[in-house]
Amino acid sequence: MIAAETTKSESSWSWKQAIAARIWRYSQLFIVLLFVATLLTGFAWEYWVWDILANLRVQQIVVAVVLAIVCGFYRRWIWLGICVACMMIHLPWFLPNGHHTAGSFDYQIATFTVCNVNSANHHFDAAISDILLDEPDVFVVLEITSQWAEQIEAATADAYPHKIVRPQDQGNFGIGLYSRHPIVTSDVFRLNVDIDSIEAIVQIDNKKYRVIGTHPLPPIRASGFHDRNQHLQLLAEHLRQPNESFAGHPTIVMGDLNITPWSPIFHDFVSRSGLQSSHRTVGQPLGGSTTPTWYVVPTFMMGLSLDHILHSDDLDCLTRRVGGPIGSDHRSVTVTVGGLVEESVEEIDELH
């Protein structure tokens, strides 16, 4: 009887050992894959797959944390060190940039919203309600079709009488800009491909803003990757070298840029354009929001921050909100920015 119980106990222990050994083997495999993926993010400029890995830094950090816990449980310290090294490579992309210009002078507030409604989405009321939730001064709608344009017009004609709309029924690159305030001047321009972007000077109270809405191609395969990167490079040049009608004003750029803030290509665009990304808002933990704006399925781990509002150095991003489900695969982004009014700018110049 005792022998039978001993044999049963040994069998149970052997089974547990086999499960534990298998878990560790799979963990080792995932650590190796994580390490390789982390290294390849440094070559994001070279190949579209490596760029996708760079855009998945949040997910890689989560995986690294889980694997580090497993390593600690198994007391595998060298493997734990590899996990920590991967985290240390990714974490600097989330550190604050320290940008803040607010002072004791007069400060003007303005709110902007961007939303990719998805041309195949017919949840008009949900999307429009979400866009208008914060009563933005200006909003940009992407993937706008003729039907979407009609629905938005019906809901916003009185509150947003100023608009520039370029719907597209065959494709996903229609765009519209709507404003509560007068549009002083505007232009519809194209960069490297036949996709419309909108540029406008909007007069909000006593301050003029240069507002741009844009939507580059997604980096799917090598061709889309090249076109998106070229779009961002040309947009950066366009921002730094505006014609006389658009020069000298605080700037807001809104769009589904098909890239996250964690890609070195996005970092290069920010550096070249002279803009600041609104995901680094005042008071955000680690200096930046990681809330996804695009979901392949509605879970955090399967989402990416693809929709952006960027601003020039003479503005502060005070608040940032990512909207809720609207039937689209994207969520809206709304920011409130603050900037010194003209009189305060002159006062600061006199002090210097």
Side-chain angles (χ1 to χ4, degrees):
M1 183 71 174
I2 295 175
E5 289 180 356
T6 301
T7 301
K8 184 177 179 180
S9 177
E10 290 176 351
S11 175
S12 176
W13 177 248
S14 177
W15 177 78
K16 290 178 181 178
Q17 283 183 314
I19 293 295
R22 177 167 293 185
I23 290 174
W24 177 242
R25 283 198 299 272
Y26 281 122
S27 297
Q28 285 178 300
L29 173 62
F30 283 121
I31 292 170
V32 170
L33 292 175
L34 173 66
F35 182 69
V36 172
T38 299
L39 293 181
L40 289 175
T41 62
F43 300 92
W45 276 105
E46 305 300 326
Y47 189 49
W48 66 279
V49 176
W50 311 155
D51 178 55
I52 289 176
L53 292 175
N55 287 310
L56 292 168
R57 290 187 196 275
V58 174
Q59 288 80 357
Q60 290 182 67
I61 289 174
V62 173
V63 171
V65 170
V66 172
L67 291 172
I69 293 171
V70 173
C71 291
F73 180 80
Y74 281 88
R75 298 179 180 274
R76 304 291 182 134
W77 309 123
I78 293 177
W79 291 91
L80 174 61
I82 296 173
C83 295
V84 172
C86 291
M87 284 188 276
M88 296 305 294
I89 290 173
H90 293 304
L91 282 174
W93 291 88
F94 302 89
L95 295 178
N97 60 7
H99 172 71
H100 189 64
T101 60
S104 59
F105 299 93
D106 292 334
Y107 215 48
Q108 180 172 301
I109 306 299
T111 301
F112 301 86
T113 296
V114 62
C115 185
N116 184 330
V117 295
N118 190 334
S119 57
N121 175 27
H122 291 156
H123 293 79
F124 302 111
D125 291 341
I128 293 171
S129 296
D130 183 87
I131 291 169
L132 301 180
L133 182 62
D134 294 291
E135 300 181 348
D137 294 285
V138 179
F139 67 86
V140 167
V141 178
L142 305 171
E143 295 199 24
I144 187 171
T145 62
S146 297
Q147 190 174 13
W148 268 105
E150 292 171 3
Q151 294 288 331
I152 295 171
E153 172 70 18
T156 65
D158 293 335
Y160 294 86
H162 313 283
K163 61 186 73 69
I164 306 159
V165 186
R166 293 293 185 273
Q168 186 180 101
D169 294 327
Q170 302 298 322
N172 299 313
F173 293 93
I175 188 170
L177 183 151
Y178 298 78
S179 174
R180 290 182 179 274
H181 310 276
I183 295 175
V184 177
T185 186
S186 65
D187 183 34
V188 177
F189 64 96
R190 294 180 175 182
L191 295 167
N192 58 321
V193 295
D194 293 335
I195 295 175
D196 288 339
S197 296
I198 295 174
E199 183 171 22
I201 298 296
V202 180
Q203 178 85 41
I204 301 178
D205 298 329
N206 61 343
K207 193 177 185 71
K208 293 179 181 178
Y209 294 82
R210 180 189 182 197
V211 183
I212 293 178
T214 192
H215 186 191
L217 287 168
I220 300 173
R221 301 186 178 87
S223 59
F225 175 68
H226 173 268
D227 288 339
R228 184 209 60 187
N229 294 348
Q230 189 179 50
H231 181 113
L232 294 176
Q233 291 172 355
L234 293 174
L235 179 59
E237 293 176 12
H238 183 86
L239 286 160
R240 295 302 294 264
Q241 300 175 354
N243 64 42
E244 187 175 345
S245 301
F246 297 98
H249 302 292
T251 300
I252 297 288
V253 174
M254 298 187 274
D256 169 8
L257 301 185
N258 278 307
I259 194 170
T260 72
W262 333 127
S263 170
I265 298 169
F266 180 87
H267 181 76
D268 180 75
F269 167 69
V270 170
S271 299
R272 286 173 178 266
S273 66
L275 300 178
Q276 300 286 336
S277 175
S278 68
H279 86 281
R280 296 182 182 276
T281 55
V282 175
Q284 286 284 357
L286 288 177
S289 170
T290 58
T291 305
T293 66
W294 173 85
Y295 294 83
V296 61
V297 294
T299 63
F300 179 87
M301 285 295 288
M302 299 302 290
L304 295 173
S305 299
L306 301 182
D307 302 88
H308 301 270
I309 301 180
L310 303 100
H311 58 89
S312 51
D313 280 339
D314 48 4
L315 297 172
D316 287 330
C317 182
L318 305 178
T319 65
R320 180 179 185 271
R321 179 184 70 86
V322 175
I326 57 171
S328 172
D329 51 346
H330 289 260
R331 308 288 175 90
S332 67
V333 176
T334 299
V335 304
T336 298
V337 299
L340 298 173
V341 298
E342 297 298 329
E343 291 81 2
S344 297
V345 174
E346 294 173 359
E347 189 176 350
I348 291 174
D349 290 340
E350 289 177 1
L351 290 176
H352 287 82

